[in-house]
Amino acid sequence: MGDKIATREAYGSALAEFGGDNRIVVLDADLSKSTKTDTFKKKYPERFINMGIAEANMMATAAGLASCGKIVFASSFAMFAAGRAFEQVRNSICYPRLNVKIGATHAGITVGEDGASHQAIEDIAIMRAVPNMVVLSPSDAVETRHAVKAAIEHDGPVYLRLGRLAVPALYSEENFTFELGKGITVAEGTDVTIIATGLMVHTAVAAKEILAGEGIQARVIDIHTIKPIDQGIILKAAKETGAIVTAEEHNVIGGLGSAVAEVLIQNCPVPLKMIGVQDKFGKSGKPDKLLEMYGLTANDIVSQVKEVLKLKNK
Amino acid sequence: MSEYSLNDLKKISYKIRMNVIEQVYHAASGHPGGSLSSADIFTVLYFSEMNVDPKNPKWEERDRFVLSKGHCSPALYATLAEKGFFPKEDLSTFRQADSYLEGHPNMTYVPGVDMSTGSLGQGISAAVGMALAGKLDKKDYRVYALLGDGELQEGQVWEALMAAAHYKLDNMVAFLDYNRLQIDGKITEVMSPEPVADKFEAFGWKVINAFGHDHQQLKEALAEAKKTKGKPTMIIAHTTKGKGVSFMEDAAGWHGTAPNKEQRDQAIAELNAVVLELEGK
């Protein structure tokens, strides 16, 4: 599996890798060492602009730069990028559909020790509700690299949800293809489908192994693009496996689970269970301990798979 | 650009004012007060200062303008139409469902609008972004923004002013439409932003005071801004809200209220009288 790499780390490396394009400008709000935009800054200092601890101004400044032909990456923690600067993202970036990519790191509870004030569990819900916004949530370094590339190639606003915690490799560059808006079937299965995003794709794969030992064949789908969501892959899974469990490091209100439910309920209703933060704030602690406390482990997925199978077999 | 005499500029500013009234009257909604107070700033910017091409609104080398106080769209639209960016007849569709003339400016649909604005405090930041882009690309274009004085209550304005000074954006000029009124009354009674000039200076801006209805003074202020190196310039334009329409002048109630037929007729008559006088009729 190789070394563990956080998606924020891969984000910084990808910015540096693809940063040769003179149109790319990277903004940060005094967090470049944490968001890893400093990797870009070291290579292209003339196109890195520190906007200080002023996220609202940073987002609308990004809009102004984009209006002059720049491809702007504006980075901060997800809490401040999607939360504090929500309305700037909505009105100055998305409404005029400007070419701004929001590199939002430290999403979810695996921020760890900094605690609830810094753990965004609402950002997917907020960002996917805004017209013109594309929401990406990659699960490992390789996928992040491709997500950054896709964001550069996409003409319009993109929200890139990234994590602080180092994660193992799920994919290798060989044979990996990334298509914006298309989910990836990580593992085939016929009894049930686990649809996950970000960090939880790893957990879903672990759950699949446990389930296999109990004779349950679970399909695992990685939804790296939460919006526009891949309806085809979801409906195919619903038809072929008849039951779905979603898994995300986000509130169960408005996130991936809700997005999947919106697709299912309108087209092919099947039993659904949602793994996520159960509408409560995070807290300080070691990331692994928090994942346990908040019910985001492989065993939690396994138990919800069993629950959903009861509904399916009723 | 052809030189307009002060007489020409004044005539243009009153035509803009007439079209402000017509738009708001036809829409039966909109913001006449601040549009009338800023009409002279628009006139000087678009007919004396800015390098723009109505036939090529997205021309890369053009000067940019951001209406940070986006609710004064009637003044911006009247000015753009007067300048030839789109037909004046379209102004009567302002705020209608089938019109491109949205209540607050939308850069996607309206030729000549450089930034979508409306939510206060954001436009000035976008102008900072444009000025940064100009510096990055080593281009000569200049960036202008118009702020309301009530808008100064938005904290983001000060974030933007801080950033513009930090990055020495001497290619950027902001106007303050200093009419001293906001929706709920006097700015000093609602939430005082005073002392504004001292604050701008403390934030690292060059500050120039001008009578905001005197085209010559506005032109001189802009010339001085051009000579100012190493810092952005704030032109505090001392204005009267509702300027040019007797019953709208200095009245907070006309911030976002449309005139009825009778009021519209009186306003147009007053404004047209000035135009006729200037034409020597």
Side-chain angles (χ1 to χ4, degrees), chain A residues 25 46-47 49-51 53-58 60-61 63-65 67-68 70 87-88 91-92 95-98, chain B residues 64 102 104-108 114-116 119 122 125-126 128-130 132-133 136-137 141 156 159-160 163 167:
Chain A
V25 177
E46 69 286 357
R47 281 185 280 119
I49 307 174
N50 204 324
M51 297 307 296
I53 312 166
E55 296 81 8
N57 180 55
M58 174 173 74
T61 296
L65 278 157
S67 79
C68 297
K70 302 297 177 192
E87 204 234 318
Q88 285 73 21
N91 274 324
S92 287
Y95 176 44
R97 204 173 182 278
L98 288 167
Chain B
R64 269 83 170 163
E102 186 74 14
H104 294 82
N106 180 312
M107 65 183 287
T108 319
D114 292 321
M115 179 55 57
S116 300
S119 178
Q122 298 188 27
S125 298
V128 168
M130 294 173 182
L132 281 168
L136 277 172
D137 293 338
Y141 66 74
Q156 185 178 347
E159 293 183 1
Y167 286 111

Side-chain angles (χ1 to χ4, degrees), chain A residues 137 139 143 170-171 181-189 192-198 200-205 208 218-225 229-241 243-248 256 260 264:
Chain A
S137 168
S139 57
E143 196 168 69
L170 198 61
Y171 304 108
K182 293 288 173 206
I184 296 173
T185 303
V186 180
E188 288 294 350
V192 63
T193 302
I194 308 166
I195 300 179
T197 193
M200 293 303 287
V201 179
H202 301 263
T203 320
V205 171
K208 183 209 161 55
R219 182 178 301 185
V220 177
I221 291 172
D222 170 8
I223 294 290
H224 54 65
T225 307
I229 200 157
D230 186 348
Q231 299 215 15
I233 203 169
I234 294 169
L235 293 174
K236 187 165 179 279
K239 283 172 191 147
E240 292 175 0
T241 70
I244 288 176
V245 171
T246 58
E248 63 195 305
L256 172 72
V260 169
L264 292 177

Side-chain angles (χ1 to χ4, degrees), chain A residues 121-122 125 128 248 250-255 258 274 277-279:
Chain A
I121 52 162
E122 312 88 347
R128 81 181 181 94
E248 63 195 305
H250 184 275
N251 200 343
V252 285
I253 296 174
S258 299
M274 298 181 194
V277 176
Q278 298 298 319
D279 198 24

